[in-house]
Amino acid sequence: MNLITKIWITLLIAVVLVISIFVSFFLFLGILFVALLTVPYMWYLQWKAKKELEKMNIEYEIIEIKEIEEGKRKKDEYC
């Protein structure tokens, strides 16, 4: 191959890599931004629901997702 062709291919690969890294970086920042907004809002909703239940004198139990998955596995084992 010609030297100029090798240089153009190298530059093309470098440009594609740089563009993909920037796209990945901004996508990561976008997901991080959404998570930073969503997680505190979820905690606020849990806190608010807990306060409302306490105000109405209703007993409640917080169930973790992990417990649900374990219960599901146990149920599947019996079937």
Side-chain angles (χ1 to χ4, degrees):
M1 271 203 279
N2 192 357
L3 180 63
I4 296 176
T5 306
K6 288 180 183 180
I7 292 173
W8 276 109
I9 290 175
T10 305
L11 285 175
L12 182 65
I13 291 172
V15 168
V16 169
L17 284 175
V18 167
I19 289 172
S20 67
I21 288 171
F22 275 113
V23 168
S24 297
F25 178 71
F26 287 117
L27 184 63
F28 172 75
L29 287 180
I31 291 171
L32 185 64
F33 178 73
V34 169
L36 288 175
L37 290 178
T38 306
V39 172
Y41 184 67
M42 180 192 68
W43 289 337
Y44 166 73
L45 288 178
Q46 286 179 345
W47 174 81
K48 188 175 179 182
K50 181 179 173 184
K51 291 297 176 188
E52 288 293 323
L53 290 172
E54 287 175 354
K55 189 190 298 184
M56 294 186 290
N57 292 325
I58 296 175
E59 292 184 24
Y60 60 91
E61 182 178 342
I62 298 174
I63 300 173
E64 296 289 328
I65 294 175
K66 187 175 183 181
E67 294 174 8
I68 293 172
E69 290 175 354
E70 289 175 2
K72 205 179 211 184
R73 278 191 223 123
K74 289 178 184 175
K75 183 180 176 185
D76 291 340
E77 290 173 4
Y78 293 123
C79 294

PDB file of all heavy atoms in Angstrom, residues 1-37:
ATOM      1  N   MET A   1       0.839  -1.189   0.000  1.00  0.00           N
ATOM      2  CA  MET A   1       0.000   0.000   0.000  1.00  0.00           C
ATOM      3  C   MET A   1       0.878   1.244   0.000  1.00  0.00           C
ATOM      4  O   MET A   1       1.970   1.251   0.526  1.00  0.00           O
ATOM      5  CB  MET A   1      -0.885   0.026   1.257  1.00  0.00           C
ATOM      6  CG  MET A   1      -2.211  -0.672   1.073  1.00  0.00           C
ATOM      7  SD  MET A   1      -3.466  -0.118   2.227  1.00  0.00           S
ATOM      8  CE  MET A   1      -3.050  -1.045   3.676  1.00  0.00           C
ATOM      9  N   ASN A   2       0.321   2.253  -0.513  1.00  0.00           N
ATOM     10  CA  ASN A   2       1.001   3.535  -0.587  1.00  0.00           C
ATOM     11  C   ASN A   2       1.043   4.175   0.804  1.00  0.00           C
ATOM     12  O   ASN A   2       0.158   3.972   1.631  1.00  0.00           O
ATOM     13  CB  ASN A   2       0.239   4.421  -1.579  1.00  0.00           C
ATOM     14  CG  ASN A   2       1.025   5.650  -1.946  1.00  0.00           C
ATOM     15  OD1 ASN A   2       2.111   5.882  -1.424  1.00  0.00           O
ATOM     16  ND2 ASN A   2       0.465   6.438  -2.840  1.00  0.00           N
ATOM     17  N   LEU A   3       2.053   4.979   1.069  1.00  0.00           N
ATOM     18  CA  LEU A   3       2.201   5.639   2.364  1.00  0.00           C
ATOM     19  C   LEU A   3       1.026   6.575   2.642  1.00  0.00           C
ATOM     20  O   LEU A   3       0.513   6.625   3.769  1.00  0.00           O
ATOM     21  CB  LEU A   3       3.524   6.412   2.407  1.00  0.00           C
ATOM     22  CG  LEU A   3       3.824   7.156   3.712  1.00  0.00           C
ATOM     23  CD1 LEU A   3       3.946   6.170   4.859  1.00  0.00           C
ATOM     24  CD2 LEU A   3       5.059   7.993   3.568  1.00  0.00           C
ATOM     25  N   ILE A   4       0.575   7.281   1.636  1.00  0.00           N
ATOM     26  CA  ILE A   4      -0.555   8.214   1.812  1.00  0.00           C
ATOM     27  C   ILE A   4      -1.822   7.434   2.165  1.00  0.00           C
ATOM     28  O   ILE A   4      -2.610   7.855   3.023  1.00  0.00           O
ATOM     29  CB  ILE A   4      -0.752   9.080   0.549  1.00  0.00           C
ATOM     30  CG1 ILE A   4       0.479   9.969   0.350  1.00  0.00           C
ATOM     31  CG2 ILE A   4      -2.021   9.902   0.638  1.00  0.00           C
ATOM     32  CD1 ILE A   4       0.456  10.794  -0.918  1.00  0.00           C
ATOM     33  N   THR A   5      -2.030   6.290   1.548  1.00  0.00           N
ATOM     34  CA  THR A   5      -3.197   5.454   1.841  1.00  0.00           C
ATOM     35  C   THR A   5      -3.143   4.969   3.291  1.00  0.00           C
ATOM     36  O   THR A   5      -4.159   4.966   3.991  1.00  0.00           O
ATOM     37  CB  THR A   5      -3.246   4.244   0.890  1.00  0.00           C
ATOM     38  OG1 THR A   5      -3.190   4.712  -0.451  1.00  0.00           O
ATOM     39  CG2 THR A   5      -4.503   3.444   1.107  1.00  0.00           C
ATOM     40  N   LYS A   6      -1.970   4.559   3.761  1.00  0.00           N
ATOM     41  CA  LYS A   6      -1.820   4.116   5.145  1.00  0.00           C
ATOM     42  C   LYS A   6      -2.129   5.256   6.116  1.00  0.00           C
ATOM     43  O   LYS A   6      -2.772   5.052   7.146  1.00  0.00           O
ATOM     44  CB  LYS A   6      -0.403   3.592   5.385  1.00  0.00           C
ATOM     45  CG  LYS A   6      -0.130   2.272   4.732  1.00  0.00           C
ATOM     46  CD  LYS A   6       1.296   1.817   5.021  1.00  0.00           C
ATOM     47  CE  LYS A   6       1.613   0.518   4.318  1.00  0.00           C
ATOM     48  NZ  LYS A   6       2.969   0.065   4.568  1.00  0.00           N
ATOM     49  N   ILE A   7      -1.673   6.450   5.788  1.00  0.00           N
ATOM     50  CA  ILE A   7      -1.930   7.609   6.654  1.00  0.00           C
ATOM     51  C   ILE A   7      -3.429   7.904   6.701  1.00  0.00           C
ATOM     52  O   ILE A   7      -3.988   8.150   7.779  1.00  0.00           O
ATOM     53  CB  ILE A   7      -1.123   8.831   6.168  1.00  0.00           C
ATOM     54  CG1 ILE A   7       0.369   8.595   6.391  1.00  0.00           C
ATOM     55  CG2 ILE A   7      -1.587  10.101   6.887  1.00  0.00           C
ATOM     56  CD1 ILE A   7       1.269   9.660   5.800  1.00  0.00           C
ATOM     57  N   TRP A   8      -4.111   7.881   5.535  1.00  0.00           N
ATOM     58  CA  TRP A   8      -5.553   8.162   5.504  1.00  0.00           C
ATOM     59  C   TRP A   8      -6.336   7.108   6.280  1.00  0.00           C
ATOM     60  O   TRP A   8      -7.276   7.434   7.009  1.00  0.00           O
ATOM     61  CB  TRP A   8      -6.071   8.236   4.058  1.00  0.00           C
ATOM     62  CG  TRP A   8      -5.851   9.587   3.459  1.00  0.00           C
ATOM     63  CD1 TRP A   8      -4.968   9.910   2.481  1.00  0.00           C
ATOM     64  CD2 TRP A   8      -6.515  10.801   3.815  1.00  0.00           C
ATOM     65  NE1 TRP A   8      -5.036  11.252   2.204  1.00  0.00           N
ATOM     66  CE2 TRP A   8      -5.980  11.820   3.013  1.00  0.00           C
ATOM     67  CE3 TRP A   8      -7.492  11.122   4.747  1.00  0.00           C
ATOM     68  CZ2 TRP A   8      -6.398  13.148   3.110  1.00  0.00           C
ATOM     69  CZ3 TRP A   8      -7.917  12.443   4.840  1.00  0.00           C
ATOM     70  CH2 TRP A   8      -7.368  13.434   4.020  1.00  0.00           C
ATOM     71  N   ILE A   9      -5.968   5.855   6.154  1.00  0.00           N
ATOM     72  CA  ILE A   9      -6.663   4.786   6.891  1.00  0.00           C
ATOM     73  C   ILE A   9      -6.449   4.959   8.392  1.00  0.00           C
ATOM     74  O   ILE A   9      -7.382   4.825   9.185  1.00  0.00           O
ATOM     75  CB  ILE A   9      -6.190   3.397   6.403  1.00  0.00           C
ATOM     76  CG1 ILE A   9      -6.700   3.151   4.986  1.00  0.00           C
ATOM     77  CG2 ILE A   9      -6.669   2.297   7.346  1.00  0.00           C
ATOM     78  CD1 ILE A   9      -6.190   1.874   4.357  1.00  0.00           C
ATOM     79  N   THR A  10      -5.217   5.288   8.770  1.00  0.00           N
ATOM     80  CA  THR A  10      -4.926   5.516  10.192  1.00  0.00           C
ATOM     81  C   THR A  10      -5.728   6.699  10.724  1.00  0.00           C
ATOM     82  O   THR A  10      -6.300   6.626  11.821  1.00  0.00           O
ATOM     83  CB  THR A  10      -3.426   5.765  10.398  1.00  0.00           C
ATOM     84  OG1 THR A  10      -2.685   4.682   9.833  1.00  0.00           O
ATOM     85  CG2 THR A  10      -3.085   5.893  11.864  1.00  0.00           C
ATOM     86  N   LEU A  11      -5.769   7.789   9.963  1.00  0.00           N
ATOM     87  CA  LEU A  11      -6.543   8.959  10.395  1.00  0.00           C
ATOM     88  C   LEU A  11      -8.035   8.643  10.475  1.00  0.00           C
ATOM     89  O   LEU A  11      -8.720   9.082  11.404  1.00  0.00           O
ATOM     90  CB  LEU A  11      -6.304  10.134   9.449  1.00  0.00           C
ATOM     91  CG  LEU A  11      -4.968  10.841   9.578  1.00  0.00           C
ATOM     92  CD1 LEU A  11      -4.818  11.901   8.490  1.00  0.00           C
ATOM     93  CD2 LEU A  11      -4.831  11.468  10.949  1.00  0.00           C
ATOM     94  N   LEU A  12      -8.534   7.888   9.527  1.00  0.00           N
ATOM     95  CA  LEU A  12      -9.948   7.509   9.532  1.00  0.00           C
ATOM     96  C   LEU A  12     -10.281   6.664  10.757  1.00  0.00           C
ATOM     97  O   LEU A  12     -11.288   6.908  11.437  1.00  0.00           O
ATOM     98  CB  LEU A  12     -10.287   6.746   8.249  1.00  0.00           C
ATOM     99  CG  LEU A  12     -11.751   6.332   8.086  1.00  0.00           C
ATOM    100  CD1 LEU A  12     -12.631   7.571   7.957  1.00  0.00           C
ATOM    101  CD2 LEU A  12     -11.891   5.436   6.885  1.00  0.00           C
ATOM    102  N   ILE A  13      -9.439   5.700  11.061  1.00  0.00           N
ATOM    103  CA  ILE A  13      -9.658   4.867  12.247  1.00  0.00           C
ATOM    104  C   ILE A  13      -9.585   5.714  13.516  1.00  0.00           C
ATOM    105  O   ILE A  13     -10.392   5.552  14.433  1.00  0.00           O
ATOM    106  CB  ILE A  13      -8.633   3.709  12.282  1.00  0.00           C
ATOM    107  CG1 ILE A  13      -8.937   2.722  11.160  1.00  0.00           C
ATOM    108  CG2 ILE A  13      -8.656   2.997  13.624  1.00  0.00           C
ATOM    109  CD1 ILE A  13      -7.890   1.643  10.987  1.00  0.00           C
ATOM    110  N   ALA A  14      -8.634   6.645  13.571  1.00  0.00           N
ATOM    111  CA  ALA A  14      -8.500   7.507  14.742  1.00  0.00           C
ATOM    112  C   ALA A  14      -9.743   8.389  14.919  1.00  0.00           C
ATOM    113  O   ALA A  14     -10.241   8.540  16.038  1.00  0.00           O
ATOM    114  CB  ALA A  14      -7.252   8.374  14.614  1.00  0.00           C
ATOM    115  N   VAL A  15     -10.249   8.949  13.833  1.00  0.00           N
ATOM    116  CA  VAL A  15     -11.447   9.794  13.909  1.00  0.00           C
ATOM    117  C   VAL A  15     -12.649   8.980  14.377  1.00  0.00           C
ATOM    118  O   VAL A  15     -13.429   9.429  15.226  1.00  0.00           O
ATOM    119  CB  VAL A  15     -11.718  10.478  12.549  1.00  0.00           C
ATOM    120  CG1 VAL A  15     -13.093  11.103  12.506  1.00  0.00           C
ATOM    121  CG2 VAL A  15     -10.650  11.512  12.253  1.00  0.00           C
ATOM    122  N   VAL A  16     -12.808   7.776  13.849  1.00  0.00           N
ATOM    123  CA  VAL A  16     -13.932   6.917  14.262  1.00  0.00           C
ATOM    124  C   VAL A  16     -13.821   6.579  15.742  1.00  0.00           C
ATOM    125  O   VAL A  16     -14.821   6.609  16.475  1.00  0.00           O
ATOM    126  CB  VAL A  16     -13.976   5.637  13.386  1.00  0.00           C
ATOM    127  CG1 VAL A  16     -14.939   4.617  13.961  1.00  0.00           C
ATOM    128  CG2 VAL A  16     -14.353   5.983  11.966  1.00  0.00           C
ATOM    129  N   LEU A  17     -12.630   6.266  16.217  1.00  0.00           N
ATOM    130  CA  LEU A  17     -12.444   5.959  17.641  1.00  0.00           C
ATOM    131  C   LEU A  17     -12.738   7.166  18.520  1.00  0.00           C
ATOM    132  O   LEU A  17     -13.390   7.038  19.563  1.00  0.00           O
ATOM    133  CB  LEU A  17     -11.012   5.461  17.881  1.00  0.00           C
ATOM    134  CG  LEU A  17     -10.725   4.032  17.438  1.00  0.00           C
ATOM    135  CD1 LEU A  17      -9.246   3.724  17.612  1.00  0.00           C
ATOM    136  CD2 LEU A  17     -11.556   3.054  18.235  1.00  0.00           C
ATOM    137  N   VAL A  18     -12.280   8.330  18.116  1.00  0.00           N
ATOM    138  CA  VAL A  18     -12.524   9.540  18.910  1.00  0.00           C
ATOM    139  C   VAL A  18     -14.018   9.850  18.965  1.00  0.00           C
ATOM    140  O   VAL A  18     -14.560  10.158  20.036  1.00  0.00           O
ATOM    141  CB  VAL A  18     -11.722  10.732  18.337  1.00  0.00           C
ATOM    142  CG1 VAL A  18     -12.182  12.041  18.932  1.00  0.00           C
ATOM    143  CG2 VAL A  18     -10.242  10.536  18.589  1.00  0.00           C
ATOM    144  N   ILE A  19     -14.689   9.735  17.840  1.00  0.00           N
ATOM    145  CA  ILE A  19     -16.135   9.996  17.813  1.00  0.00           C
ATOM    146  C   ILE A  19     -16.871   8.987  18.692  1.00  0.00           C
ATOM    147  O   ILE A  19     -17.767   9.358  19.468  1.00  0.00           O
ATOM    148  CB  ILE A  19     -16.668   9.975  16.362  1.00  0.00           C
ATOM    149  CG1 ILE A  19     -16.161  11.206  15.611  1.00  0.00           C
ATOM    150  CG2 ILE A  19     -18.190   9.926  16.335  1.00  0.00           C
ATOM    151  CD1 ILE A  19     -16.467  11.178  14.123  1.00  0.00           C
ATOM    152  N   SER A  20     -16.513   7.722  18.618  1.00  0.00           N
ATOM    153  CA  SER A  20     -17.194   6.708  19.427  1.00  0.00           C
ATOM    154  C   SER A  20     -16.935   6.915  20.910  1.00  0.00           C
ATOM    155  O   SER A  20     -17.830   6.711  21.735  1.00  0.00           O
ATOM    156  CB  SER A  20     -16.776   5.310  18.996  1.00  0.00           C
ATOM    157  OG  SER A  20     -15.417   5.086  19.288  1.00  0.00           O
ATOM    158  N   ILE A  21     -15.730   7.352  21.275  1.00  0.00           N
ATOM    159  CA  ILE A  21     -15.431   7.623  22.684  1.00  0.00           C
ATOM    160  C   ILE A  21     -16.256   8.809  23.179  1.00  0.00           C
ATOM    161  O   ILE A  21     -16.820   8.767  24.284  1.00  0.00           O
ATOM    162  CB  ILE A  21     -13.915   7.864  22.876  1.00  0.00           C
ATOM    163  CG1 ILE A  21     -13.163   6.542  22.726  1.00  0.00           C
ATOM    164  CG2 ILE A  21     -13.629   8.487  24.242  1.00  0.00           C
ATOM    165  CD1 ILE A  21     -11.666   6.679  22.683  1.00  0.00           C
ATOM    166  N   PHE A  22     -16.383   9.871  22.377  1.00  0.00           N
ATOM    167  CA  PHE A  22     -17.185  11.015  22.785  1.00  0.00           C
ATOM    168  C   PHE A  22     -18.655  10.653  22.904  1.00  0.00           C
ATOM    169  O   PHE A  22     -19.333  11.060  23.846  1.00  0.00           O
ATOM    170  CB  PHE A  22     -17.008  12.193  21.820  1.00  0.00           C
ATOM    171  CG  PHE A  22     -15.827  13.054  22.142  1.00  0.00           C
ATOM    172  CD1 PHE A  22     -14.743  13.106  21.283  1.00  0.00           C
ATOM    173  CD2 PHE A  22     -15.789  13.795  23.305  1.00  0.00           C
ATOM    174  CE1 PHE A  22     -13.636  13.889  21.581  1.00  0.00           C
ATOM    175  CE2 PHE A  22     -14.706  14.590  23.618  1.00  0.00           C
ATOM    176  CZ  PHE A  22     -13.618  14.635  22.746  1.00  0.00           C
ATOM    177  N   VAL A  23     -19.172   9.860  21.971  1.00  0.00           N
ATOM    178  CA  VAL A  23     -20.574   9.447  22.047  1.00  0.00           C
ATOM    179  C   VAL A  23     -20.800   8.606  23.302  1.00  0.00           C
ATOM    180  O   VAL A  23     -21.778   8.805  24.030  1.00  0.00           O
ATOM    181  CB  VAL A  23     -20.981   8.676  20.769  1.00  0.00           C
ATOM    182  CG1 VAL A  23     -22.318   7.990  20.939  1.00  0.00           C
ATOM    183  CG2 VAL A  23     -21.013   9.612  19.577  1.00  0.00           C
ATOM    184  N   SER A  24     -19.895   7.684  23.575  1.00  0.00           N
ATOM    185  CA  SER A  24     -20.011   6.851  24.770  1.00  0.00           C
ATOM    186  C   SER A  24     -19.945   7.703  26.037  1.00  0.00           C
ATOM    187  O   SER A  24     -20.691   7.478  26.994  1.00  0.00           O
ATOM    188  CB  SER A  24     -18.899   5.806  24.806  1.00  0.00           C
ATOM    189  OG  SER A  24     -19.004   4.941  23.719  1.00  0.00           O
ATOM    190  N   PHE A  25     -19.061   8.674  26.059  1.00  0.00           N
ATOM    191  CA  PHE A  25     -18.914   9.543  27.226  1.00  0.00           C
ATOM    192  C   PHE A  25     -20.186  10.345  27.470  1.00  0.00           C
ATOM    193  O   PHE A  25     -20.682  10.409  28.604  1.00  0.00           O
ATOM    194  CB  PHE A  25     -17.721  10.488  27.024  1.00  0.00           C
ATOM    195  CG  PHE A  25     -17.519  11.445  28.153  1.00  0.00           C
ATOM    196  CD1 PHE A  25     -17.056  11.005  29.376  1.00  0.00           C
ATOM    197  CD2 PHE A  25     -17.804  12.793  27.987  1.00  0.00           C
ATOM    198  CE1 PHE A  25     -16.867  11.894  30.431  1.00  0.00           C
ATOM    199  CE2 PHE A  25     -17.619  13.684  29.023  1.00  0.00           C
ATOM    200  CZ  PHE A  25     -17.149  13.240  30.253  1.00  0.00           C
ATOM    201  N   PHE A  26     -20.756  10.936  26.426  1.00  0.00           N
ATOM    202  CA  PHE A  26     -21.971  11.724  26.617  1.00  0.00           C
ATOM    203  C   PHE A  26     -23.170  10.845  26.940  1.00  0.00           C
ATOM    204  O   PHE A  26     -24.052  11.238  27.707  1.00  0.00           O
ATOM    205  CB  PHE A  26     -22.243  12.602  25.394  1.00  0.00           C
ATOM    206  CG  PHE A  26     -21.297  13.761  25.294  1.00  0.00           C
ATOM    207  CD1 PHE A  26     -20.433  13.880  24.221  1.00  0.00           C
ATOM    208  CD2 PHE A  26     -21.247  14.724  26.293  1.00  0.00           C
ATOM    209  CE1 PHE A  26     -19.547  14.946  24.137  1.00  0.00           C
ATOM    210  CE2 PHE A  26     -20.374  15.786  26.228  1.00  0.00           C
ATOM    211  CZ  PHE A  26     -19.522  15.895  25.147  1.00  0.00           C
ATOM    212  N   LEU A  27     -23.208   9.640  26.413  1.00  0.00           N
ATOM    213  CA  LEU A  27     -24.264   8.702  26.782  1.00  0.00           C
ATOM    214  C   LEU A  27     -24.143   8.319  28.250  1.00  0.00           C
ATOM    215  O   LEU A  27     -25.138   8.274  28.978  1.00  0.00           O
ATOM    216  CB  LEU A  27     -24.187   7.452  25.896  1.00  0.00           C
ATOM    217  CG  LEU A  27     -25.268   6.414  26.089  1.00  0.00           C
ATOM    218  CD1 LEU A  27     -26.640   7.001  25.732  1.00  0.00           C
ATOM    219  CD2 LEU A  27     -24.997   5.192  25.237  1.00  0.00           C
ATOM    220  N   PHE A  28     -22.920   8.079  28.711  1.00  0.00           N
ATOM    221  CA  PHE A  28     -22.687   7.777  30.121  1.00  0.00           C
ATOM    222  C   PHE A  28     -23.124   8.945  31.005  1.00  0.00           C
ATOM    223  O   PHE A  28     -23.776   8.748  32.031  1.00  0.00           O
ATOM    224  CB  PHE A  28     -21.204   7.464  30.362  1.00  0.00           C
ATOM    225  CG  PHE A  28     -20.839   7.331  31.806  1.00  0.00           C
ATOM    226  CD1 PHE A  28     -21.195   6.201  32.513  1.00  0.00           C
ATOM    227  CD2 PHE A  28     -20.148   8.348  32.447  1.00  0.00           C
ATOM    228  CE1 PHE A  28     -20.871   6.077  33.857  1.00  0.00           C
ATOM    229  CE2 PHE A  28     -19.823   8.241  33.789  1.00  0.00           C
ATOM    230  CZ  PHE A  28     -20.182   7.096  34.491  1.00  0.00           C
ATOM    231  N   LEU A  29     -22.775  10.175  30.606  1.00  0.00           N
ATOM    232  CA  LEU A  29     -23.201  11.341  31.387  1.00  0.00           C
ATOM    233  C   LEU A  29     -24.720  11.470  31.420  1.00  0.00           C
ATOM    234  O   LEU A  29     -25.293  11.825  32.455  1.00  0.00           O
ATOM    235  CB  LEU A  29     -22.582  12.616  30.809  1.00  0.00           C
ATOM    236  CG  LEU A  29     -21.093  12.831  31.060  1.00  0.00           C
ATOM    237  CD1 LEU A  29     -20.633  14.128  30.417  1.00  0.00           C
ATOM    238  CD2 LEU A  29     -20.795  12.841  32.546  1.00  0.00           C
ATOM    239  N   GLY A  30     -25.379  11.173  30.310  1.00  0.00           N
ATOM    240  CA  GLY A  30     -26.835  11.235  30.271  1.00  0.00           C
ATOM    241  C   GLY A  30     -27.475  10.223  31.201  1.00  0.00           C
ATOM    242  O   GLY A  30     -28.409  10.541  31.944  1.00  0.00           O
ATOM    243  N   ILE A  31     -26.962   8.999  31.192  1.00  0.00           N
ATOM    244  CA  ILE A  31     -27.494   7.957  32.077  1.00  0.00           C
ATOM    245  C   ILE A  31     -27.215   8.309  33.534  1.00  0.00           C
ATOM    246  O   ILE A  31     -28.072   8.123  34.405  1.00  0.00           O
ATOM    247  CB  ILE A  31     -26.894   6.588  31.698  1.00  0.00           C
ATOM    248  CG1 ILE A  31     -27.433   6.164  30.339  1.00  0.00           C
ATOM    249  CG2 ILE A  31     -27.196   5.543  32.754  1.00  0.00           C
ATOM    250  CD1 ILE A  31     -26.763   4.943  29.763  1.00  0.00           C
ATOM    251  N   LEU A  32     -26.043   8.834  33.808  1.00  0.00           N
ATOM    252  CA  LEU A  32     -25.706   9.248  35.170  1.00  0.00           C
ATOM    253  C   LEU A  32     -26.628  10.369  35.637  1.00  0.00           C
ATOM    254  O   LEU A  32     -27.111  10.365  36.778  1.00  0.00           O
ATOM    255  CB  LEU A  32     -24.245   9.700  35.226  1.00  0.00           C
ATOM    256  CG  LEU A  32     -23.684  10.061  36.593  1.00  0.00           C
ATOM    257  CD1 LEU A  32     -23.666   8.831  37.488  1.00  0.00           C
ATOM    258  CD2 LEU A  32     -22.280  10.614  36.446  1.00  0.00           C
ATOM    259  N   PHE A  33     -26.920  11.327  34.765  1.00  0.00           N
ATOM    260  CA  PHE A  33     -27.813  12.426  35.099  1.00  0.00           C
ATOM    261  C   PHE A  33     -29.220  11.908  35.421  1.00  0.00           C
ATOM    262  O   PHE A  33     -29.828  12.312  36.416  1.00  0.00           O
ATOM    263  CB  PHE A  33     -27.862  13.424  33.941  1.00  0.00           C
ATOM    264  CG  PHE A  33     -28.793  14.575  34.162  1.00  0.00           C
ATOM    265  CD1 PHE A  33     -28.474  15.574  35.061  1.00  0.00           C
ATOM    266  CD2 PHE A  33     -29.981  14.652  33.463  1.00  0.00           C
ATOM    267  CE1 PHE A  33     -29.325  16.643  35.264  1.00  0.00           C
ATOM    268  CE2 PHE A  33     -30.855  15.706  33.656  1.00  0.00           C
ATOM    269  CZ  PHE A  33     -30.529  16.707  34.560  1.00  0.00           C
ATOM    270  N   VAL A  34     -29.718  10.991  34.607  1.00  0.00           N
ATOM    271  CA  VAL A  34     -31.049  10.427  34.852  1.00  0.00           C
ATOM    272  C   VAL A  34     -31.068   9.661  36.172  1.00  0.00           C
ATOM    273  O   VAL A  34     -32.021   9.764  36.950  1.00  0.00           O
ATOM    274  CB  VAL A  34     -31.480   9.526  33.670  1.00  0.00           C
ATOM    275  CG1 VAL A  34     -32.714   8.722  34.005  1.00  0.00           C
ATOM    276  CG2 VAL A  34     -31.718  10.371  32.432  1.00  0.00           C
ATOM    277  N   ALA A  35     -30.014   8.904  36.448  1.00  0.00           N
ATOM    278  CA  ALA A  35     -29.942   8.158  37.705  1.00  0.00           C
ATOM    279  C   ALA A  35     -29.884   9.104  38.897  1.00  0.00           C
ATOM    280  O   ALA A  35     -30.528   8.852  39.926  1.00  0.00           O
ATOM    281  CB  ALA A  35     -28.729   7.233  37.701  1.00  0.00           C
ATOM    282  N   LEU A  36     -29.144  10.193  38.773  1.00  0.00           N
ATOM    283  CA  LEU A  36     -29.046  11.147  39.876  1.00  0.00           C
ATOM    284  C   LEU A  36     -30.371  11.850  40.142  1.00  0.00           C
ATOM    285  O   LEU A  36     -30.613  12.327  41.252  1.00  0.00           O
ATOM    286  CB  LEU A  36     -27.945  12.176  39.597  1.00  0.00           C
ATOM    287  CG  LEU A  36     -26.522  11.647  39.700  1.00  0.00           C
ATOM    288  CD1 LEU A  36     -25.518  12.727  39.284  1.00  0.00           C
ATOM    289  CD2 LEU A  36     -26.213  11.181  41.106  1.00  0.00           C
ATOM    290  N   LEU A  37     -31.229  11.941  39.142  1.00  0.00           N
ATOM    291  CA  LEU A  37     -32.557  12.513  39.354  1.00  0.00           C
ATOM    292  C   LEU A  37     -33.550  11.470  39.853  1.00  0.00           C
ATOM    293  O   LEU A  37     -34.417  11.766  40.670  1.00  0.00           O
ATOM    294  CB  LEU A  37     -33.081  13.124  38.046  1.00  0.00           C
ATOM    295  CG  LEU A  37     -32.394  14.379  37.555  1.00  0.00           C
ATOM    296  CD1 LEU A  37     -32.995  14.808  36.227  1.00  0.00           C
ATOM    297  CD2 LEU A  37     -32.500  15.497  38.571  1.00  0.00           C
TER     298      LEU A  37
END
